PDB file of all heavy atoms in Angstrom:
ATOM      1  N   ALA A  28     114.641 147.398  92.858  1.00 81.00           N
ATOM      2  CA  ALA A  28     115.245 146.179  93.280  1.00 81.00           C
ATOM      3  C   ALA A  28     115.409 146.075  94.769  1.00 81.00           C
ATOM      4  O   ALA A  28     115.912 147.055  95.385  1.00 81.00           O
ATOM      5  CB  ALA A  28     116.607 145.986  92.543  1.00 81.00           C
ATOM      6  N   THR A  29     115.013 145.015  95.360  1.00 85.00           N
ATOM      7  CA  THR A  29     115.100 144.813  96.766  1.00 85.00           C
ATOM      8  C   THR A  29     116.087 143.689  97.170  1.00 85.00           C
ATOM      9  O   THR A  29     116.409 142.878  96.329  1.00 85.00           O
ATOM     10  CB  THR A  29     113.763 144.508  97.367  1.00 85.00           C
ATOM     11  OG1 THR A  29     113.304 143.193  96.932  1.00 85.00           O
ATOM     12  CG2 THR A  29     112.703 145.585  97.064  1.00 85.00           C
ATOM     13  N   GLY A  30     116.477 143.728  98.400  1.00 83.00           N
ATOM     14  CA  GLY A  30     117.236 142.588  98.965  1.00 83.00           C
ATOM     15  C   GLY A  30     116.328 141.570  99.595  1.00 83.00           C
ATOM     16  O   GLY A  30     115.175 141.563  99.310  1.00 83.00           O
ATOM     17  N   PHE A  31     116.858 140.792 100.441  1.00 85.00           N
ATOM     18  CA  PHE A  31     116.041 139.831 101.109  1.00 85.00           C
ATOM     19  C   PHE A  31     115.416 140.401 102.392  1.00 85.00           C
ATOM     20  O   PHE A  31     115.914 141.297 102.964  1.00 85.00           O
ATOM     21  CB  PHE A  31     116.919 138.616 101.596  1.00 85.00           C
ATOM     22  CG  PHE A  31     117.543 137.867 100.430  1.00 85.00           C
ATOM     23  CD1 PHE A  31     118.928 137.910 100.184  1.00 85.00           C
ATOM     24  CD2 PHE A  31     116.754 137.075  99.645  1.00 85.00           C
ATOM     25  CE1 PHE A  31     119.502 137.224  99.112  1.00 85.00           C
ATOM     26  CE2 PHE A  31     117.329 136.376  98.566  1.00 85.00           C
ATOM     27  CZ  PHE A  31     118.691 136.467  98.326  1.00 85.00           C
ATOM     28  N   GLY A  32     114.240 139.866 102.680  1.00 85.00           N
ATOM     29  CA  GLY A  32     113.560 140.307 103.973  1.00 85.00           C
ATOM     30  C   GLY A  32     114.282 139.779 105.160  1.00 85.00           C
ATOM     31  O   GLY A  32     115.012 138.800 105.033  1.00 85.00           O
ATOM     32  N   ASN A  33     114.002 140.347 106.345  1.00 87.00           N
ATOM     33  CA  ASN A  33     114.717 139.871 107.603  1.00 87.00           C
ATOM     34  C   ASN A  33     113.813 139.073 108.544  1.00 87.00           C
ATOM     35  O   ASN A  33     114.244 138.918 109.661  1.00 87.00           O
ATOM     36  CB  ASN A  33     115.330 141.105 108.248  1.00 87.00           C
ATOM     37  CG  ASN A  33     114.268 142.066 108.772  1.00 87.00           C
ATOM     38  OD1 ASN A  33     113.013 141.807 108.631  1.00 87.00           O
ATOM     39  ND2 ASN A  33     114.653 143.100 109.403  1.00 87.00           N
ATOM     40  N   ALA A  34     112.667 138.684 108.143  1.00 88.00           N
ATOM     41  CA  ALA A  34     111.756 137.880 109.013  1.00 88.00           C
ATOM     42  C   ALA A  34     112.425 136.594 109.356  1.00 88.00           C
ATOM     43  O   ALA A  34     112.856 135.864 108.429  1.00 88.00           O
ATOM     44  CB  ALA A  34     110.421 137.685 108.408  1.00 88.00           C
ATOM     45  N   PRO A  35     112.589 136.217 110.612  1.00 88.00           N
ATOM     46  CA  PRO A  35     113.243 134.965 110.956  1.00 88.00           C
ATOM     47  C   PRO A  35     112.462 133.746 110.586  1.00 88.00           C
ATOM     48  O   PRO A  35     111.247 133.833 110.522  1.00 88.00           O
ATOM     49  CB  PRO A  35     113.496 135.057 112.458  1.00 88.00           C
ATOM     50  CG  PRO A  35     112.912 136.331 112.955  1.00 88.00           C
ATOM     51  CD  PRO A  35     112.215 136.987 111.801  1.00 88.00           C
ATOM     52  N   VAL A  36     113.152 132.695 110.276  1.00 85.00           N
ATOM     53  CA  VAL A  36     112.580 131.364 109.981  1.00 85.00           C
ATOM     54  C   VAL A  36     112.033 130.845 111.292  1.00 85.00           C
ATOM     55  O   VAL A  36     112.722 130.915 112.353  1.00 85.00           O
ATOM     56  CB  VAL A  36     113.502 130.446 109.361  1.00 85.00           C
ATOM     57  CG1 VAL A  36     112.972 129.064 109.178  1.00 85.00           C
ATOM     58  CG2 VAL A  36     114.032 130.946 108.041  1.00 85.00           C
ATOM     59  N   GLY A  37     110.771 130.289 111.339  1.00 84.00           N
ATOM     60  CA  GLY A  37     110.258 129.654 112.546  1.00 84.00           C
ATOM     61  C   GLY A  37     109.782 130.678 113.601  1.00 84.00           C
ATOM     62  O   GLY A  37     109.746 130.339 114.771  1.00 84.00           O
ATOM     63  N   GLN A  38     109.527 131.881 113.211  1.00 85.00           N
ATOM     64  CA  GLN A  38     109.114 132.948 114.154  1.00 85.00           C
ATOM     65  C   GLN A  38     107.712 132.705 114.723  1.00 85.00           C
ATOM     66  O   GLN A  38     107.462 133.128 115.828  1.00 85.00           O
ATOM     67  CB  GLN A  38     109.210 134.273 113.351  1.00 85.00           C
ATOM     68  CG  GLN A  38     108.865 135.470 114.275  1.00 85.00           C
ATOM     69  CD  GLN A  38     108.971 136.743 113.499  1.00 85.00           C
ATOM     70  OE1 GLN A  38     108.865 136.762 112.293  1.00 85.00           O
ATOM     71  NE2 GLN A  38     109.154 137.809 114.219  1.00 85.00           N
ATOM     72  N   ILE A  39     106.848 132.045 113.959  1.00 85.00           N
ATOM     73  CA  ILE A  39     105.451 131.936 114.384  1.00 85.00           C
ATOM     74  C   ILE A  39     105.186 130.466 114.619  1.00 85.00           C
ATOM     75  O   ILE A  39     105.413 129.560 113.793  1.00 85.00           O
ATOM     76  CB  ILE A  39     104.537 132.525 113.324  1.00 85.00           C
ATOM     77  CG1 ILE A  39     104.802 133.995 113.109  1.00 85.00           C
ATOM     78  CG2 ILE A  39     103.105 132.290 113.667  1.00 85.00           C
ATOM     79  CD1 ILE A  39     104.154 134.571 111.933  1.00 85.00           C
ATOM     80  N   ALA A  40     104.582 130.223 115.784  1.00 83.00           N
ATOM     81  CA  ALA A  40     104.072 128.832 116.129  1.00 83.00           C
ATOM     82  C   ALA A  40     102.575 128.914 116.019  1.00 83.00           C
ATOM     83  O   ALA A  40     101.926 129.828 116.542  1.00 83.00           O
ATOM     84  CB  ALA A  40     104.533 128.427 117.501  1.00 83.00           C
ATOM     85  N   GLY A  41     101.944 127.893 115.399  1.00 83.00           N
ATOM     86  CA  GLY A  41     100.509 127.840 115.266  1.00 83.00           C
ATOM     87  C   GLY A  41      99.841 127.493 116.609  1.00 83.00           C
ATOM     88  O   GLY A  41     100.451 127.324 117.622  1.00 83.00           O
ATOM     89  N   PRO A  42      98.509 127.307 116.532  1.00 83.00           N
ATOM     90  CA  PRO A  42      97.789 126.987 117.735  1.00 83.00           C
ATOM     91  C   PRO A  42      98.187 125.646 118.326  1.00 83.00           C
ATOM     92  O   PRO A  42      98.582 124.699 117.516  1.00 83.00           O
ATOM     93  CB  PRO A  42      96.284 126.911 117.216  1.00 83.00           C
ATOM     94  CG  PRO A  42      96.308 127.545 115.866  1.00 83.00           C
ATOM     95  CD  PRO A  42      97.680 127.511 115.282  1.00 83.00           C
ATOM     96  N   ASP A  43      98.112 125.523 119.567  1.00 82.00           N
ATOM     97  CA  ASP A  43      98.527 124.239 120.237  1.00 82.00           C
ATOM     98  C   ASP A  43      97.471 123.126 119.892  1.00 82.00           C
ATOM     99  O   ASP A  43      96.331 123.407 119.593  1.00 82.00           O
ATOM    100  CB  ASP A  43      98.457 124.413 121.779  1.00 82.00           C
ATOM    101  CG  ASP A  43      99.596 125.340 122.224  1.00 82.00           C
ATOM    102  OD1 ASP A  43     100.546 125.503 121.546  1.00 82.00           O
ATOM    103  OD2 ASP A  43      99.372 125.944 123.302  1.00 82.00           O
ATOM    104  N   GLN A  44      98.068 121.937 119.886  1.00 83.00           N
ATOM    105  CA  GLN A  44      97.197 120.743 119.703  1.00 83.00           C
ATOM    106  C   GLN A  44      96.851 120.153 121.070  1.00 83.00           C
ATOM    107  O   GLN A  44      97.792 119.999 121.879  1.00 83.00           O
ATOM    108  CB  GLN A  44      97.902 119.712 118.842  1.00 83.00           C
ATOM    109  CG  GLN A  44      98.253 120.268 117.443  1.00 83.00           C
ATOM    110  CD  GLN A  44      97.026 120.517 116.595  1.00 83.00           C
ATOM    111  OE1 GLN A  44      96.185 119.591 116.464  1.00 83.00           O
ATOM    112  NE2 GLN A  44      96.897 121.670 116.023  1.00 83.00           N
ATOM    113  N   PHE A  45      95.633 119.902 121.321  1.00 86.00           N
ATOM    114  CA  PHE A  45      95.272 119.326 122.653  1.00 86.00           C
ATOM    115  C   PHE A  45      94.345 118.174 122.318  1.00 86.00           C
ATOM    116  O   PHE A  45      93.200 118.319 121.843  1.00 86.00           O
ATOM    117  CB  PHE A  45      94.511 120.336 123.477  1.00 86.00           C
ATOM    118  CG  PHE A  45      94.093 119.873 124.842  1.00 86.00           C
ATOM    119  CD1 PHE A  45      94.933 119.722 125.856  1.00 86.00           C
ATOM    120  CD2 PHE A  45      92.743 119.527 125.009  1.00 86.00           C
ATOM    121  CE1 PHE A  45      94.556 119.250 127.067  1.00 86.00           C
ATOM    122  CE2 PHE A  45      92.317 119.094 126.249  1.00 86.00           C
ATOM    123  CZ  PHE A  45      93.199 118.903 127.216  1.00 86.00           C
ATOM    124  N   ASN A  46      94.810 116.897 122.541  1.00 90.00           N
ATOM    125  CA  ASN A  46      94.079 115.784 122.163  1.00 90.00           C
ATOM    126  C   ASN A  46      94.318 114.676 123.174  1.00 90.00           C
ATOM    127  O   ASN A  46      95.501 114.252 123.475  1.00 90.00           O
ATOM    128  CB  ASN A  46      94.495 115.305 120.714  1.00 90.00           C
ATOM    129  CG  ASN A  46      93.641 114.281 120.206  1.00 90.00           C
ATOM    130  OD1 ASN A  46      92.593 113.977 120.731  1.00 90.00           O
ATOM    131  ND2 ASN A  46      94.026 113.741 118.983  1.00 90.00           N
ATOM    132  N   ILE A  47      93.267 114.098 123.753  1.00 94.00           N
ATOM    133  CA  ILE A  47      93.454 113.092 124.728  1.00 94.00           C
ATOM    134  C   ILE A  47      92.654 111.821 124.177  1.00 94.00           C
ATOM    135  O   ILE A  47      91.460 111.927 123.966  1.00 94.00           O
ATOM    136  CB  ILE A  47      92.823 113.438 126.106  1.00 94.00           C
ATOM    137  CG1 ILE A  47      93.709 114.554 126.655  1.00 94.00           C
ATOM    138  CG2 ILE A  47      92.833 112.259 127.030  1.00 94.00           C
ATOM    139  CD1 ILE A  47      93.338 115.035 127.985  1.00 94.00           C
ATOM    140  N   ASP A  48      93.392 110.752 123.954  1.00 95.00           N
ATOM    141  CA  ASP A  48      92.783 109.468 123.573  1.00 95.00           C
ATOM    142  C   ASP A  48      92.680 108.649 124.873  1.00 95.00           C
ATOM    143  O   ASP A  48      93.618 108.673 125.660  1.00 95.00           O
ATOM    144  CB  ASP A  48      93.635 108.762 122.529  1.00 95.00           C
ATOM    145  CG  ASP A  48      93.732 109.609 121.288  1.00 95.00           C
ATOM    146  OD1 ASP A  48      92.768 110.407 120.939  1.00 95.00           O
ATOM    147  OD2 ASP A  48      94.658 109.370 120.477  1.00 95.00           O
ATOM    148  N   LEU A  49      91.606 107.895 124.971  1.00 96.00           N
ATOM    149  CA  LEU A  49      91.346 107.129 126.215  1.00 96.00           C
ATOM    150  C   LEU A  49      90.861 105.737 125.802  1.00 96.00           C
ATOM    151  O   LEU A  49      90.073 105.573 124.918  1.00 96.00           O
ATOM    152  CB  LEU A  49      90.236 107.868 126.968  1.00 96.00           C
ATOM    153  CG  LEU A  49      89.862 107.388 128.324  1.00 96.00           C
ATOM    154  CD1 LEU A  49      91.008 107.535 129.312  1.00 96.00           C
ATOM    155  CD2 LEU A  49      88.685 108.230 128.842  1.00 96.00           C
ATOM    156  N   ALA A  50      91.346 104.773 126.566  1.00 96.00           N
ATOM    157  CA  ALA A  50      90.909 103.340 126.377  1.00 96.00           C
ATOM    158  C   ALA A  50      90.675 102.776 127.780  1.00 96.00           C
ATOM    159  O   ALA A  50      91.422 102.951 128.688  1.00 96.00           O
ATOM    160  CB  ALA A  50      91.987 102.609 125.661  1.00 96.00           C
ATOM    161  N   ILE A  51      89.473 102.086 127.880  1.00 97.00           N
ATOM    162  CA  ILE A  51      89.169 101.401 129.117  1.00 97.00           C
ATOM    163  C   ILE A  51      88.843  99.986 128.731  1.00 97.00           C
ATOM    164  O   ILE A  51      88.132  99.688 127.730  1.00 97.00           O
ATOM    165  CB  ILE A  51      87.855 102.027 129.671  1.00 97.00           C
ATOM    166  CG1 ILE A  51      88.113 103.492 130.071  1.00 97.00           C
ATOM    167  CG2 ILE A  51      87.427 101.303 130.923  1.00 97.00           C
ATOM    168  CD1 ILE A  51      86.886 104.265 130.432  1.00 97.00           C
ATOM    169  N   LEU A  52      89.462  99.034 129.461  1.00 96.00           N
ATOM    170  CA  LEU A  52      89.238  97.649 129.193  1.00 96.00           C
ATOM    171  C   LEU A  52      89.139  96.863 130.476  1.00 96.00           C
ATOM    172  O   LEU A  52      89.664  97.183 131.520  1.00 96.00           O
ATOM    173  CB  LEU A  52      90.291  97.048 128.268  1.00 96.00           C
ATOM    174  CG  LEU A  52      91.744  97.046 128.782  1.00 96.00           C
ATOM    175  CD1 LEU A  52      92.034  95.595 129.283  1.00 96.00           C
ATOM    176  CD2 LEU A  52      92.630  97.365 127.660  1.00 96.00           C
ATOM    177  N   LYS A  53      88.436  95.742 130.377  1.00 96.00           N
ATOM    178  CA  LYS A  53      88.333  94.791 131.516  1.00 96.00           C
ATOM    179  C   LYS A  53      88.447  93.396 130.867  1.00 96.00           C
ATOM    180  O   LYS A  53      87.800  92.997 129.914  1.00 96.00           O
ATOM    181  CB  LYS A  53      87.008  94.885 132.176  1.00 96.00           C
ATOM    182  CG  LYS A  53      86.773  93.849 133.252  1.00 96.00           C
ATOM    183  CD  LYS A  53      87.735  94.091 134.452  1.00 96.00           C
ATOM    184  CE  LYS A  53      87.444  93.037 135.498  1.00 96.00           C
ATOM    185  NZ  LYS A  53      88.443  93.070 136.551  1.00 96.00           N
ATOM    186  N   ARG A  54      89.472  92.626 131.387  1.00 93.00           N
ATOM    187  CA  ARG A  54      89.709  91.306 130.892  1.00 93.00           C
ATOM    188  C   ARG A  54      89.323  90.209 131.942  1.00 93.00           C
ATOM    189  O   ARG A  54      89.681  90.399 133.099  1.00 93.00           O
ATOM    190  CB  ARG A  54      91.151  91.226 130.548  1.00 93.00           C
ATOM    191  CG  ARG A  54      91.589  89.829 129.903  1.00 93.00           C
ATOM    192  CD  ARG A  54      93.050  89.837 129.445  1.00 93.00           C
ATOM    193  NE  ARG A  54      93.208  90.816 128.407  1.00 93.00           N
ATOM    194  CZ  ARG A  54      94.316  91.553 128.262  1.00 93.00           C
ATOM    195  NH1 ARG A  54      95.301  91.379 129.073  1.00 93.00           N
ATOM    196  NH2 ARG A  54      94.425  92.454 127.276  1.00 93.00           N
ATOM    197  N   PHE A  55      88.595  89.302 131.502  1.00 91.00           N
ATOM    198  CA  PHE A  55      88.167  88.098 132.400  1.00 91.00           C
ATOM    199  C   PHE A  55      88.822  86.900 131.949  1.00 91.00           C
ATOM    200  O   PHE A  55      88.824  86.591 130.747  1.00 91.00           O
ATOM    201  CB  PHE A  55      86.609  87.970 132.255  1.00 91.00           C
ATOM    202  CG  PHE A  55      85.813  89.206 132.813  1.00 91.00           C
ATOM    203  CD1 PHE A  55      85.392  90.101 131.911  1.00 91.00           C
ATOM    204  CD2 PHE A  55      85.604  89.363 134.103  1.00 91.00           C
ATOM    205  CE1 PHE A  55      84.673  91.221 132.301  1.00 91.00           C
ATOM    206  CE2 PHE A  55      84.844  90.459 134.521  1.00 91.00           C
ATOM    207  CZ  PHE A  55      84.394  91.357 133.642  1.00 91.00           C
ATOM    208  N   ARG A  56      89.427  86.171 132.853  1.00 88.00           N
ATOM    209  CA  ARG A  56      89.987  84.869 132.494  1.00 88.00           C
ATOM    210  C   ARG A  56      88.862  83.827 132.393  1.00 88.00           C
ATOM    211  O   ARG A  56      87.884  83.870 133.157  1.00 88.00           O
ATOM    212  CB  ARG A  56      90.953  84.453 133.683  1.00 88.00           C
ATOM    213  CG  ARG A  56      92.208  83.840 133.157  1.00 88.00           C
ATOM    214  CD  ARG A  56      93.161  83.626 134.325  1.00 88.00           C
ATOM    215  NE  ARG A  56      92.627  83.260 135.600  1.00 88.00           N
ATOM    216  CZ  ARG A  56      92.493  81.948 135.956  1.00 88.00           C
ATOM    217  NH1 ARG A  56      92.956  80.959 135.212  1.00 88.00           N
ATOM    218  NH2 ARG A  56      92.020  81.678 137.132  1.00 88.00           N
ATOM    219  N   LEU A  57      88.933  82.976 131.462  1.00 87.00           N
ATOM    220  CA  LEU A  57      87.952  81.923 131.240  1.00 87.00           C
ATOM    221  C   LEU A  57      88.557  80.602 131.566  1.00 87.00           C
ATOM    222  O   LEU A  57      89.165  79.980 130.688  1.00 87.00           O
ATOM    223  CB  LEU A  57      87.390  81.955 129.796  1.00 87.00           C
ATOM    224  CG  LEU A  57      86.673  83.202 129.361  1.00 87.00           C
ATOM    225  CD1 LEU A  57      86.321  83.089 127.858  1.00 87.00           C
ATOM    226  CD2 LEU A  57      85.425  83.482 130.198  1.00 87.00           C
ATOM    227  N   PRO A  58      88.428  80.120 132.809  1.00 83.00           N
ATOM    228  CA  PRO A  58      89.105  78.913 133.193  1.00 83.00           C
ATOM    229  C   PRO A  58      88.579  77.665 132.504  1.00 83.00           C
ATOM    230  O   PRO A  58      89.413  76.748 132.326  1.00 83.00           O
ATOM    231  CB  PRO A  58      88.927  78.846 134.754  1.00 83.00           C
ATOM    232  CG  PRO A  58      87.682  79.711 134.944  1.00 83.00           C
ATOM    233  CD  PRO A  58      87.693  80.669 133.974  1.00 83.00           C
ATOM    234  N   PHE A  59      87.389  77.659 132.102  1.00 82.00           N
ATOM    235  CA  PHE A  59      86.806  76.408 131.508  1.00 82.00           C
ATOM    236  C   PHE A  59      87.196  76.231 130.097  1.00 82.00           C
ATOM    237  O   PHE A  59      87.057  75.218 129.531  1.00 82.00           O
ATOM    238  CB  PHE A  59      85.262  76.467 131.705  1.00 82.00           C
ATOM    239  CG  PHE A  59      84.602  77.544 131.011  1.00 82.00           C
ATOM    240  CD1 PHE A  59      84.274  77.594 129.653  1.00 82.00           C
ATOM    241  CD2 PHE A  59      84.293  78.698 131.780  1.00 82.00           C
ATOM    242  CE1 PHE A  59      83.727  78.657 129.110  1.00 82.00           C
ATOM    243  CE2 PHE A  59      83.678  79.813 131.134  1.00 82.00           C
ATOM    244  CZ  PHE A  59      83.418  79.779 129.823  1.00 82.00           C
ATOM    245  N   ALA A  60      87.746  77.363 129.455  1.00 74.00           N
ATOM    246  CA  ALA A  60      88.088  77.206 128.046  1.00 74.00           C
ATOM    247  C   ALA A  60      89.584  77.026 127.793  1.00 74.00           C
ATOM    248  O   ALA A  60      90.091  77.068 126.692  1.00 74.00           O
ATOM    249  CB  ALA A  60      87.616  78.527 127.301  1.00 74.00           C
ATOM    250  N   GLY A  61      90.351  76.876 128.803  1.00 74.00           N
ATOM    251  CA  GLY A  61      91.771  76.647 128.625  1.00 74.00           C
ATOM    252  C   GLY A  61      92.585  77.740 129.294  1.00 74.00           C
ATOM    253  O   GLY A  61      92.031  78.758 129.692  1.00 74.00           O
ATOM    254  N   GLU A  62      93.875  77.527 129.517  1.00 74.00           N
ATOM    255  CA  GLU A  62      94.729  78.426 130.243  1.00 74.00           C
ATOM    256  C   GLU A  62      94.831  79.796 129.537  1.00 74.00           C
ATOM    257  O   GLU A  62      94.856  80.825 130.223  1.00 74.00           O
ATOM    258  CB  GLU A  62      96.125  77.843 130.341  1.00 74.00           C
ATOM    259  CG  GLU A  62      96.331  77.167 131.658  1.00 74.00           C
ATOM    260  CD  GLU A  62      97.786  76.689 131.720  1.00 74.00           C
ATOM    261  OE1 GLU A  62      98.679  77.376 131.392  1.00 74.00           O
ATOM    262  OE2 GLU A  62      97.943  75.521 132.206  1.00 74.00           O
ATOM    263  N   ALA A  63      94.868  79.841 128.219  1.00 80.00           N
ATOM    264  CA  ALA A  63      95.202  81.132 127.516  1.00 80.00           C
ATOM    265  C   ALA A  63      93.891  81.771 127.064  1.00 80.00           C
ATOM    266  O   ALA A  63      93.995  82.717 126.215  1.00 80.00           O
ATOM    267  CB  ALA A  63      96.069  80.786 126.369  1.00 80.00           C
ATOM    268  N   SER A  64      92.766  81.457 127.523  1.00 87.00           N
ATOM    269  CA  SER A  64      91.511  82.002 126.993  1.00 87.00           C
ATOM    270  C   SER A  64      91.066  83.198 127.894  1.00 87.00           C
ATOM    271  O   SER A  64      91.081  83.122 129.099  1.00 87.00           O
ATOM    272  CB  SER A  64      90.403  80.947 127.042  1.00 87.00           C
ATOM    273  OG  SER A  64      90.732  79.974 126.136  1.00 87.00           O
ATOM    274  N   ASN A  65      90.671  84.250 127.263  1.00 89.00           N
ATOM    275  CA  ASN A  65      90.185  85.476 127.926  1.00 89.00           C
ATOM    276  C   ASN A  65      89.009  85.953 127.210  1.00 89.00           C
ATOM    277  O   ASN A  65      88.741  85.791 126.065  1.00 89.00           O
ATOM    278  CB  ASN A  65      91.298  86.575 127.797  1.00 89.00           C
ATOM    279  CG  ASN A  65      92.515  86.248 128.572  1.00 89.00           C
ATOM    280  OD1 ASN A  65      92.482  85.813 129.724  1.00 89.00           O
ATOM    281  ND2 ASN A  65      93.692  86.411 127.975  1.00 89.00           N
ATOM    282  N   LEU A  66      88.204  86.758 127.959  1.00 91.00           N
ATOM    283  CA  LEU A  66      87.058  87.553 127.452  1.00 91.00           C
ATOM    284  C   LEU A  66      87.399  88.974 127.789  1.00 91.00           C
ATOM    285  O   LEU A  66      87.660  89.347 128.964  1.00 91.00           O
ATOM    286  CB  LEU A  66      85.717  87.139 128.066  1.00 91.00           C
ATOM    287  CG  LEU A  66      84.545  87.918 127.646  1.00 91.00           C
ATOM    288  CD1 LEU A  66      84.292  87.661 126.190  1.00 91.00           C
ATOM    289  CD2 LEU A  66      83.321  87.481 128.442  1.00 91.00           C
ATOM    290  N   GLU A  67      87.379  89.851 126.754  1.00 93.00           N
ATOM    291  CA  GLU A  67      87.780  91.278 126.977  1.00 93.00           C
ATOM    292  C   GLU A  67      86.679  92.165 126.562  1.00 93.00           C
ATOM    293  O   GLU A  67      86.146  92.116 125.382  1.00 93.00           O
ATOM    294  CB  GLU A  67      89.104  91.521 126.205  1.00 93.00           C
ATOM    295  CG  GLU A  67      89.552  92.934 126.378  1.00 93.00           C
ATOM    296  CD  GLU A  67      90.877  93.103 125.675  1.00 93.00           C
ATOM    297  OE1 GLU A  67      91.965  92.627 126.161  1.00 93.00           O
ATOM    298  OE2 GLU A  67      90.881  93.714 124.541  1.00 93.00           O
TER     299      GLU A  67
END
């Protein structure tokens, strides 16, 4: 019969996460189609 083990909770951290998301956009105003019109 054994007791409880003594390994701490949260002792091991897994591999790091490295993730870069990127967005590039260019918006053009369309003056001939009205004030709120854009081309993106």
Side-chain angles (χ1 to χ4, degrees):
T29 65
F31 297 108
N33 66 358
V36 174
Q38 182 178 24
I39 299 169
D43 293 334
Q44 299 292 309
F45 180 77
N46 191 8
I47 295 179
D48 297 335
L49 187 64
I51 301 171
L52 64 99
K53 177 65 179 171
R54 184 174 295 144
F55 298 95
R56 221 170 39 96
L57 299 174
F59 59 85
E62 263 183 43
S64 298
N65 295 313
L66 176 63
E67 181 176 284

